[in-house]
Amino acid sequence: MERTFLKGCVAYAEAAVRAGCRFYAGYPITPQNEIPEHMSVRLPEVGGHFLQAESEVAAINMVYGAAASGTRSMISSSSCGMSLMSEGISHMSGADVPAVIVSVQRGGPGVGVIQPAQMDYFQAVKAHGNGGFRLLVFAPSNTQEAVDLIYAAFDKAEKYRKPILILTDGVQGTMMEPVVLPPQLCDEEVAAKKEAQMYWAVRGVKNGERHKIDSTHRPDHEGHNKHDADIYEAWKRDEVLVQEYMLDDAEIVIASYGISARVALTAIKRLRAEGYKVGMIRPISLFPFPFDSFRKLDFNRVKGVLSVEMSIPAQFAEDVDYALQGKCHLKTCLRSGGEIMTSEYIMDSVRRMADELGIKAK
């Protein structure tokens, strides 16, 4: 497979098309507009359908309807647009309808700023709608990883019959870098994927078995909620993804995700050259969160953890704190309001932490 040079959002859209996505509905919002733009061109080429809705509320319900037919469907938005879709996402989860959602974060709260941020962690991981449901949430740190996660997300969504969220940000969505695109499913493969969903999907077959796709259609509602809880526990066993980097001798560990973690890699290399023993834990799955990666650290050696994210107030840091259970010192390194995390900013925070903990460069 050849490498090609693509903008992040374009690569996300192309990965979805190649994975068999044949329906997309959305509404324009910076910084993810290249996703619907690309979909508007590509989907007709492969026999799919693109709709620009009148709002995010309309768009998510269009995706709900298309996905309920067994068609591989996707929607994307950013921050305040995702808020408008929360009711529809909750309905889809309650009705066991699979789809892929891409959230390209900008600054908030409210309309906020159009510049990149990581201020939607709580929204994505804790409360994407009413009813206590959860989403599988994956957070790539580069375009290739995002492409691979989106391509695989359609299979996972159908496996669990739940929406899946890919959480990225305005830096990754608008930057260009080389990427190897996955193979495109042929028409027969796409049709076979859809046919495999016919045991539950709305088929429109006269005199056939009636399939009701509705979050209120749960004859044993408590039992269905228990079924969902079992799925979430299965995710904790089977779907945890994490990168553990240079932890064998680390005295300070950086905890970060997405674009901030990518920046942290450069900071770690430069700090190592200065003699600081620094490593990193990068959750790729934000739910389920890789708690075990933190809890298995050797706290006789690891003296501090620095949680790095582009959010003020801190959000991701709360899960890091829960993972550590008070076993070592925790500090935050934060940017916000469209201010991009830099390696120098992280390095200064690590040096200050080292001084406070009495750790000397060796």
Side-chain angles (χ1 to χ4, degrees):
M1 293 182 286
E2 294 184 2
R3 299 176 78 198
T4 186
F5 196 59
L6 292 176
K7 182 174 283 193
C9 283
V10 174
Y12 307 161
E14 183 61 28
V17 172
R18 289 173 178 243
C21 177
R22 293 299 178 264
F23 183 85
Y24 175 96
Y27 186 79
I29 181 172
T30 304
Q32 61 84 59
N33 286 330
E34 287 85 358
I35 298 177
E37 182 179 355
H38 190 76
M39 286 296 205
S40 71
V41 175
R42 285 290 283 128
L43 283 177
E45 293 177 349
V46 295
H49 299 277
F50 166 87
L51 283 173
Q52 179 173 313
E54 62 269 32
S55 70
E56 288 90 347
V57 175
I60 190 61
N61 284 285
M62 291 173 181
V63 169
Y64 184 1
S69 74
T71 301
R72 289 195 161 187
S73 303
M74 188 175 90
I75 192 168
S76 62
S77 192
S78 178
S79 299
C80 44
M82 295 298 299
S83 296
L84 289 169
M85 300 194 305
S86 63
E87 182 185 36
I89 296 171
S90 181
H91 277 293
M92 292 176 69
S93 181
D96 300 326
V97 174
V100 174
I101 304 163
V102 177
S103 176
V104 184
Q105 299 173 88
R106 57 190 271 174
V111 173
V113 296
I114 64 173
Q115 285 81 19
Q118 291 179 301
M119 296 192 68
D120 300 339
Y121 183 86
F122 286 162
Q123 180 191 59
V125 176
K126 306 298 184 184
H128 218 114
N130 65 295
F133 72 96
R134 309 305 298 261
L135 298 177
L136 261 177
V137 182
F138 296 107
S141 67
N142 59 67
T143 305
Q144 185 65 64
E145 190 171 54
V147 163
D148 295 340
L149 288 169
I150 290 169
Y151 193 77
F154 288 92
D155 281 337
K156 290 186 184 294
E158 289 172 353
K159 175 182 178 180
Y160 296 110
R161 284 184 58 193
K162 295 294 181 186
I164 291 181
L165 178 66
I166 307 297
L167 185 67
T168 179
D169 58 80
V171 177
Q172 295 187 74
T174 56
M175 71 187 297
M176 296 187 71
E177 59 182 335
V179 62
V180 177
L181 292 169
Q184 180 157 332
L185 298 183
C186 66
D187 291 345
E188 292 76 15
E189 290 172 315
V190 174
K193 296 284 188 183
K194 183 170 183 176
E195 182 60 32
Q197 309 310 309
M198 290 302 102
Y199 73 96
W200 63 265
V202 174
R203 297 174 293 176
V205 178
K206 185 177 181 180
N207 299 323
E209 181 184 359
R210 183 169 183 260
H211 292 169
K212 186 172 177 61
I213 308 297
D214 188 339
S215 60
T216 65
H217 187 66
R218 290 182 163 194
D220 176 10
H221 200 93
E222 183 180 60
H224 205 132
N225 287 345
K226 290 179 178 178
H227 166 73
D228 286 350
D230 289 341
I231 289 176
Y232 306 150
E233 289 303 313
W235 291 349
K236 293 175 185 179
R237 290 193 311 270
D238 303 331
E239 299 294 349
V240 173
L241 292 177
V242 61
Q243 179 189 15
E244 299 175 354
Y245 182 71
M246 300 191 79
L247 296 180
D248 289 347
D249 64 344
E251 295 176 319
I252 294 176
V253 173
I254 292 172
S256 191
Y257 77 98
I259 190 63
S260 291
R262 181 169 177 168
V263 175
L265 285 174
T266 299
I268 290 169
K269 292 173 184 176
R270 293 170 64 184
L271 286 163
R272 285 269 175 175
E274 292 180 9
Y276 292 100
K277 295 180 180 179
V278 185
M280 181 169 67
I281 297 175
R282 175 175 72 95
I284 302 170
S285 59
L286 300 183
F287 186 83
F289 194 84
F291 291 110
D292 287 347
S293 291
F294 292 89
R295 292 172 182 170
K296 71 182 182 183
L297 290 171
D298 180 358
F299 293 107
N300 292 317
R301 173 172 40 80
V302 176
K303 303 304 180 183
V305 172
L306 181 70
S307 183
V308 179
E309 58 181 303
M310 294 193 327
S311 176
I312 299 174
Q315 299 180 44
F316 168 75
E318 290 196 8
D319 276 339
V320 176
D321 187 31
Y322 182 68
L324 291 172
Q325 299 178 319
K327 292 181 179 177
C328 78
H329 190 64
L330 172 65
K331 294 199 71 170
T332 57
C333 174
L334 311 175
R335 302 305 304 264
S336 184
E339 299 296 329
I340 307 302
M341 188 66 66
T342 65
S343 57
E344 291 81 7
Y345 199 77
I346 296 172
M347 291 170 68
D348 286 343
S349 295
V350 169
R351 293 188 194 107
R352 285 195 297 271
M353 172 177 267
D355 286 344
E356 290 174 10
L357 298 174
I359 297 173
K360 304 297 183 183
K362 300 175 178 63

Short mmCIF file of all heavy atoms in Angstrom, two decimals, residues 251-257 264 267-268 271 278-281 294 302-309 316-317 320 324 328-334 341 343 345-354 356-357:
data_model
loop_
_atom_site.label_atom_id
_atom_site.label_comp_id
_atom_site.label_asym_id
_atom_site.label_seq_id
_atom_site.Cartn_x
_atom_site.Cartn_y
_atom_site.Cartn_z
N GLU A 251 11.37 7.98 36.65
CA GLU A 251 11.13 8.55 37.97
C GLU A 251 9.94 9.53 37.93
O GLU A 251 9.29 9.77 38.94
CB GLU A 251 12.38 9.26 38.48
CG GLU A 251 13.56 8.32 38.71
CD GLU A 251 14.82 9.05 39.11
OE1 GLU A 251 15.10 10.12 38.54
OE2 GLU A 251 15.52 8.56 40.02
N ILE A 252 9.73 10.11 36.76
CA ILE A 252 8.56 10.96 36.51
C ILE A 252 7.84 10.40 35.29
O ILE A 252 8.49 10.07 34.28
CB ILE A 252 8.96 12.43 36.28
CG1 ILE A 252 9.54 13.03 37.56
CG2 ILE A 252 7.77 13.26 35.79
CD1 ILE A 252 10.06 14.45 37.40
N VAL A 253 6.53 10.28 35.38
CA VAL A 253 5.72 9.73 34.29
C VAL A 253 4.75 10.80 33.81
O VAL A 253 4.04 11.41 34.62
CB VAL A 253 4.94 8.48 34.73
CG1 VAL A 253 3.98 8.03 33.63
CG2 VAL A 253 5.91 7.35 35.09
N ILE A 254 4.77 11.06 32.53
CA ILE A 254 3.79 11.95 31.91
C ILE A 254 2.57 11.13 31.53
O ILE A 254 2.69 10.05 30.96
CB ILE A 254 4.37 12.65 30.67
CG1 ILE A 254 5.46 13.64 31.09
CG2 ILE A 254 3.27 13.36 29.88
CD1 ILE A 254 6.22 14.25 29.93
N ALA A 255 1.39 11.63 31.89
CA ALA A 255 0.12 11.02 31.48
C ALA A 255 -0.53 11.99 30.51
O ALA A 255 -0.74 13.17 30.84
CB ALA A 255 -0.78 10.77 32.68
N SER A 256 -0.84 11.52 29.31
CA SER A 256 -1.42 12.41 28.32
C SER A 256 -2.09 11.60 27.23
O SER A 256 -1.86 10.39 27.09
CB SER A 256 -0.33 13.32 27.72
OG SER A 256 -0.90 14.36 26.96
N TYR A 257 -2.93 12.26 26.43
CA TYR A 257 -3.59 11.60 25.32
C TYR A 257 -3.64 12.54 24.12
O TYR A 257 -3.43 13.75 24.24
CB TYR A 257 -5.00 11.14 25.71
CG TYR A 257 -6.05 12.25 25.75
CD1 TYR A 257 -6.91 12.45 24.67
CD2 TYR A 257 -6.20 13.08 26.85
CE1 TYR A 257 -7.88 13.44 24.69
CE2 TYR A 257 -7.16 14.08 26.88
CZ TYR A 257 -7.99 14.25 25.80
OH TYR A 257 -8.95 15.25 25.83
N ALA A 264 4.33 15.52 23.89
CA ALA A 264 5.09 15.03 25.04
C ALA A 264 6.22 14.09 24.64
O ALA A 264 7.25 14.02 25.32
CB ALA A 264 4.16 14.34 26.04
N ALA A 267 9.17 16.13 24.11
CA ALA A 267 9.66 16.62 25.41
C ALA A 267 10.43 15.54 26.14
O ALA A 267 11.49 15.81 26.74
CB ALA A 267 8.48 17.11 26.25
N ILE A 268 9.93 14.32 26.11
CA ILE A 268 10.59 13.22 26.82
C ILE A 268 11.98 12.96 26.25
O ILE A 268 12.96 12.78 26.99
CB ILE A 268 9.72 11.95 26.76
CG1 ILE A 268 8.47 12.13 27.62
CG2 ILE A 268 10.51 10.72 27.22
CD1 ILE A 268 7.43 11.06 27.43
N LEU A 271 14.22 15.75 27.43
CA LEU A 271 14.48 15.64 28.87
C LEU A 271 15.43 14.49 29.17
O LEU A 271 16.30 14.59 30.06
CB LEU A 271 13.16 15.46 29.62
CG LEU A 271 12.28 16.71 29.73
CD1 LEU A 271 10.86 16.33 30.10
CD2 LEU A 271 12.86 17.70 30.75
N VAL A 278 12.30 10.19 32.38
CA VAL A 278 10.88 10.49 32.18
C VAL A 278 10.30 9.46 31.22
O VAL A 278 10.93 9.09 30.22
CB VAL A 278 10.70 11.91 31.60
CG1 VAL A 278 9.21 12.25 31.50
CG2 VAL A 278 11.42 12.93 32.46
N GLY A 279 9.09 8.99 31.54
CA GLY A 279 8.36 8.09 30.66
C GLY A 279 6.95 8.61 30.44
O GLY A 279 6.61 9.72 30.87
N MET A 280 6.13 7.81 29.79
CA MET A 280 4.76 8.27 29.52
C MET A 280 3.78 7.10 29.47
O MET A 280 4.11 6.01 28.98
CB MET A 280 4.68 9.03 28.20
CG MET A 280 3.27 9.56 27.88
SD MET A 280 3.23 10.73 26.49
CE MET A 280 3.67 9.66 25.13
N ILE A 281 2.58 7.35 29.97
CA ILE A 281 1.44 6.47 29.75
C ILE A 281 0.45 7.25 28.90
O ILE A 281 0.00 8.33 29.29
CB ILE A 281 0.77 6.03 31.06
CG1 ILE A 281 1.75 5.21 31.91
CG2 ILE A 281 -0.49 5.23 30.79
CD1 ILE A 281 1.23 4.84 33.28
N PHE A 294 -1.40 2.50 35.24
CA PHE A 294 -0.94 3.39 36.31
C PHE A 294 -0.72 2.61 37.61
O PHE A 294 0.25 2.85 38.32
CB PHE A 294 -1.96 4.51 36.54
CG PHE A 294 -2.05 5.48 35.39
CD1 PHE A 294 -2.94 5.27 34.34
CD2 PHE A 294 -1.26 6.61 35.37
CE1 PHE A 294 -3.03 6.17 33.29
CE2 PHE A 294 -1.34 7.52 34.32
CZ PHE A 294 -2.22 7.29 33.27
N VAL A 302 8.90 5.56 40.88
CA VAL A 302 8.14 6.67 40.29
C VAL A 302 7.71 7.61 41.42
O VAL A 302 6.93 7.24 42.29
CB VAL A 302 6.92 6.16 39.52
CG1 VAL A 302 6.09 7.34 39.01
CG2 VAL A 302 7.35 5.27 38.36
N LYS A 303 8.19 8.83 41.37
CA LYS A 303 7.92 9.79 42.43
C LYS A 303 6.82 10.79 42.07
O LYS A 303 6.23 11.42 42.96
CB LYS A 303 9.19 10.56 42.78
CG LYS A 303 10.37 9.68 43.19
CD LYS A 303 9.99 8.79 44.38
CE LYS A 303 11.17 7.91 44.78
NZ LYS A 303 10.81 6.98 45.88
N GLY A 304 6.56 10.96 40.78
CA GLY A 304 5.56 11.93 40.38
C GLY A 304 4.98 11.63 39.02
O GLY A 304 5.64 11.03 38.16
N VAL A 305 3.74 12.04 38.82
CA VAL A 305 3.06 11.93 37.54
C VAL A 305 2.59 13.32 37.13
O VAL A 305 1.99 14.05 37.92
CB VAL A 305 1.85 10.96 37.60
CG1 VAL A 305 1.04 11.02 36.31
CG2 VAL A 305 2.33 9.54 37.88
N LEU A 306 2.89 13.69 35.89
CA LEU A 306 2.48 14.98 35.34
C LEU A 306 1.38 14.72 34.30
O LEU A 306 1.62 14.07 33.28
CB LEU A 306 3.66 15.68 34.68
CG LEU A 306 3.37 17.06 34.09
CD1 LEU A 306 3.10 18.08 35.20
CD2 LEU A 306 4.52 17.52 33.19
N SER A 307 0.18 15.21 34.58
CA SER A 307 -0.94 15.04 33.65
C SER A 307 -0.98 16.22 32.69
O SER A 307 -1.10 17.38 33.12
CB SER A 307 -2.26 14.94 34.43
OG SER A 307 -3.34 14.70 33.56
N VAL A 308 -0.89 15.93 31.40
CA VAL A 308 -0.75 16.96 30.37
C VAL A 308 -1.98 16.94 29.46
O VAL A 308 -2.30 15.89 28.87
CB VAL A 308 0.53 16.73 29.54
CG1 VAL A 308 0.65 17.79 28.45
CG2 VAL A 308 1.76 16.73 30.44
N GLU A 309 -2.64 18.09 29.33
CA GLU A 309 -3.80 18.18 28.44
C GLU A 309 -4.07 19.63 28.08
O GLU A 309 -3.67 20.55 28.81
CB GLU A 309 -5.05 17.58 29.10
CG GLU A 309 -5.44 18.23 30.42
CD GLU A 309 -6.66 17.60 31.07
OE1 GLU A 309 -7.71 17.55 30.40
OE2 GLU A 309 -6.55 17.17 32.24
N PHE A 316 -9.07 15.31 32.00
CA PHE A 316 -8.37 14.02 31.90
C PHE A 316 -7.66 13.70 33.21
O PHE A 316 -7.62 12.53 33.64
CB PHE A 316 -7.38 14.11 30.74
CG PHE A 316 -6.38 13.02 30.64
CD1 PHE A 316 -6.74 11.76 30.17
CD2 PHE A 316 -5.04 13.24 30.97
CE1 PHE A 316 -5.79 10.75 30.05
CE2 PHE A 316 -4.10 12.24 30.85
CZ PHE A 316 -4.48 10.98 30.40
N ALA A 317 -7.14 14.72 33.90
CA ALA A 317 -6.38 14.52 35.14
C ALA A 317 -7.20 13.84 36.22
O ALA A 317 -6.64 13.18 37.11
CB ALA A 317 -5.85 15.85 35.65
N VAL A 320 -6.72 10.21 35.82
CA VAL A 320 -5.35 9.89 36.23
C VAL A 320 -5.26 9.84 37.75
O VAL A 320 -4.67 8.93 38.33
CB VAL A 320 -4.36 10.92 35.65
CG1 VAL A 320 -2.94 10.64 36.15
CG2 VAL A 320 -4.40 10.91 34.12
N LEU A 324 -4.25 6.61 40.14
CA LEU A 324 -3.09 6.59 41.03
C LEU A 324 -3.46 6.28 42.47
O LEU A 324 -2.62 5.81 43.25
CB LEU A 324 -2.38 7.95 40.97
CG LEU A 324 -1.67 8.27 39.66
CD1 LEU A 324 -1.17 9.71 39.67
CD2 LEU A 324 -0.53 7.31 39.39
N CYS A 328 1.26 8.48 44.52
CA CYS A 328 2.41 9.33 44.24
C CYS A 328 1.93 10.75 43.94
O CYS A 328 0.73 11.00 43.80
CB CYS A 328 3.27 8.79 43.10
SG CYS A 328 2.63 9.09 41.46
N HIS A 329 2.86 11.66 43.85
CA HIS A 329 2.56 13.08 43.63
C HIS A 329 2.00 13.28 42.22
O HIS A 329 2.54 12.74 41.25
CB HIS A 329 3.86 13.88 43.81
CG HIS A 329 3.68 15.35 43.84
ND1 HIS A 329 2.96 16.00 44.82
CD2 HIS A 329 4.11 16.32 42.98
CE1 HIS A 329 2.97 17.29 44.59
NE2 HIS A 329 3.66 17.52 43.48
N LEU A 330 0.94 14.07 42.10
CA LEU A 330 0.32 14.35 40.80
C LEU A 330 0.23 15.86 40.61
O LEU A 330 -0.23 16.59 41.48
CB LEU A 330 -1.09 13.76 40.74
CG LEU A 330 -1.93 14.13 39.51
CD1 LEU A 330 -1.32 13.59 38.23
CD2 LEU A 330 -3.37 13.63 39.67
N LYS A 331 0.71 16.32 39.45
CA LYS A 331 0.57 17.72 39.07
C LYS A 331 0.03 17.78 37.64
O LYS A 331 0.05 16.78 36.91
CB LYS A 331 1.91 18.46 39.15
CG LYS A 331 2.46 18.60 40.56
CD LYS A 331 3.49 19.71 40.65
CE LYS A 331 2.82 21.07 40.52
NZ LYS A 331 3.77 22.18 40.83
N THR A 332 -0.46 18.96 37.26
CA THR A 332 -1.00 19.13 35.91
C THR A 332 -0.18 20.13 35.11
O THR A 332 0.46 21.03 35.66
CB THR A 332 -2.47 19.62 35.95
OG1 THR A 332 -2.54 20.85 36.69
CG2 THR A 332 -3.37 18.58 36.60
N CYS A 333 -0.22 19.94 33.81
CA CYS A 333 0.39 20.85 32.84
C CYS A 333 -0.70 21.15 31.81
O CYS A 333 -1.07 20.25 31.03
CB CYS A 333 1.61 20.20 32.19
SG CYS A 333 2.35 21.14 30.85
N LEU A 334 -1.22 22.36 31.81
CA LEU A 334 -2.46 22.66 31.08
C LEU A 334 -2.30 23.86 30.15
O LEU A 334 -1.61 24.82 30.48
CB LEU A 334 -3.60 22.96 32.07
CG LEU A 334 -3.80 21.96 33.22
CD1 LEU A 334 -4.87 22.48 34.17
CD2 LEU A 334 -4.18 20.58 32.69
N MET A 341 -0.28 23.14 23.19
CA MET A 341 0.76 22.59 24.04
C MET A 341 2.07 22.52 23.27
O MET A 341 2.09 22.14 22.09
CB MET A 341 0.35 21.19 24.52
CG MET A 341 1.27 20.59 25.57
SD MET A 341 1.22 21.51 27.14
CE MET A 341 -0.48 21.18 27.67
N SER A 343 6.44 21.41 23.53
CA SER A 343 7.39 20.56 24.26
C SER A 343 8.13 21.38 25.33
O SER A 343 8.41 20.87 26.42
CB SER A 343 8.39 19.93 23.28
OG SER A 343 9.07 20.91 22.54
N TYR A 345 6.94 23.86 27.08
CA TYR A 345 6.02 24.05 28.20
C TYR A 345 5.99 22.81 29.09
O TYR A 345 5.99 22.90 30.32
CB TYR A 345 4.63 24.37 27.66
CG TYR A 345 3.67 25.01 28.63
CD1 TYR A 345 3.78 26.35 28.95
CD2 TYR A 345 2.64 24.27 29.21
CE1 TYR A 345 2.90 26.95 29.84
CE2 TYR A 345 1.75 24.85 30.10
CZ TYR A 345 1.88 26.19 30.41
OH TYR A 345 1.01 26.78 31.28
N ILE A 346 5.96 21.64 28.45
CA ILE A 346 5.98 20.38 29.20
C ILE A 346 7.31 20.21 29.92
O ILE A 346 7.36 19.82 31.10
CB ILE A 346 5.71 19.19 28.26
CG1 ILE A 346 4.30 19.30 27.66
CG2 ILE A 346 5.88 17.86 29.01
CD1 ILE A 346 4.01 18.27 26.57
N MET A 347 8.41 20.52 29.23
CA MET A 347 9.73 20.37 29.84
C MET A 347 9.88 21.25 31.07
O MET A 347 10.41 20.80 32.10
CB MET A 347 10.81 20.70 28.80
CG MET A 347 10.91 19.66 27.68
SD MET A 347 11.98 20.19 26.32
CE MET A 347 13.58 20.15 27.14
N ASP A 348 9.41 22.47 30.99
CA ASP A 348 9.48 23.36 32.16
C ASP A 348 8.68 22.78 33.33
O ASP A 348 9.12 22.85 34.49
CB ASP A 348 8.94 24.74 31.80
CG ASP A 348 9.91 25.55 30.93
OD1 ASP A 348 11.10 25.17 30.88
OD2 ASP A 348 9.47 26.52 30.30
N SER A 349 7.51 22.20 33.03
CA SER A 349 6.69 21.62 34.09
C SER A 349 7.38 20.41 34.72
O SER A 349 7.32 20.23 35.95
CB SER A 349 5.33 21.21 33.52
OG SER A 349 4.60 22.33 33.08
N VAL A 350 8.04 19.59 33.91
CA VAL A 350 8.75 18.42 34.43
C VAL A 350 9.92 18.87 35.30
O VAL A 350 10.16 18.33 36.39
CB VAL A 350 9.24 17.51 33.28
CG1 VAL A 350 10.21 16.45 33.81
CG2 VAL A 350 8.06 16.85 32.59
N ARG A 351 10.67 19.89 34.86
CA ARG A 351 11.82 20.36 35.64
C ARG A 351 11.36 20.90 37.00
O ARG A 351 12.01 20.65 38.03
CB ARG A 351 12.56 21.44 34.87
CG ARG A 351 13.26 20.94 33.60
CD ARG A 351 14.12 22.04 33.01
NE ARG A 351 14.55 21.75 31.65
CZ ARG A 351 14.06 22.36 30.56
NH1 ARG A 351 13.14 23.29 30.68
NH2 ARG A 351 14.51 22.05 29.37
N ARG A 352 10.23 21.64 36.99
CA ARG A 352 9.72 22.16 38.26
C ARG A 352 9.29 21.02 39.19
O ARG A 352 9.55 21.05 40.40
CB ARG A 352 8.54 23.10 38.01
CG ARG A 352 8.95 24.47 37.46
CD ARG A 352 7.80 25.47 37.57
NE ARG A 352 6.66 25.05 36.77
CZ ARG A 352 6.48 25.38 35.50
NH1 ARG A 352 7.38 26.12 34.87
NH2 ARG A 352 5.40 24.99 34.85
N MET A 353 8.65 20.01 38.62
CA MET A 353 8.24 18.86 39.42
C MET A 353 9.47 18.14 39.99
O MET A 353 9.49 17.75 41.17
CB MET A 353 7.39 17.89 38.59
CG MET A 353 7.08 16.58 39.31
SD MET A 353 6.00 15.49 38.36
CE MET A 353 4.40 15.98 39.00
N ALA A 354 10.48 17.98 39.17
CA ALA A 354 11.70 17.32 39.63
C ALA A 354 12.34 18.07 40.78
O ALA A 354 12.78 17.48 41.78
CB ALA A 354 12.68 17.18 38.47
N GLU A 356 10.80 20.02 42.94
CA GLU A 356 9.95 19.88 44.12
C GLU A 356 10.13 18.53 44.78
O GLU A 356 10.04 18.39 46.01
CB GLU A 356 8.49 20.05 43.71
CG GLU A 356 8.11 21.47 43.30
CD GLU A 356 6.69 21.57 42.78
OE1 GLU A 356 5.95 20.57 42.91
OE2 GLU A 356 6.34 22.62 42.21
N LEU A 357 10.41 17.50 43.97
CA LEU A 357 10.54 16.14 44.48
C LEU A 357 11.99 15.77 44.83
O LEU A 357 12.26 14.65 45.28
CB LEU A 357 9.98 15.13 43.46
CG LEU A 357 8.49 15.26 43.14
CD1 LEU A 357 8.09 14.32 42.02
CD2 LEU A 357 7.64 15.00 44.39
#
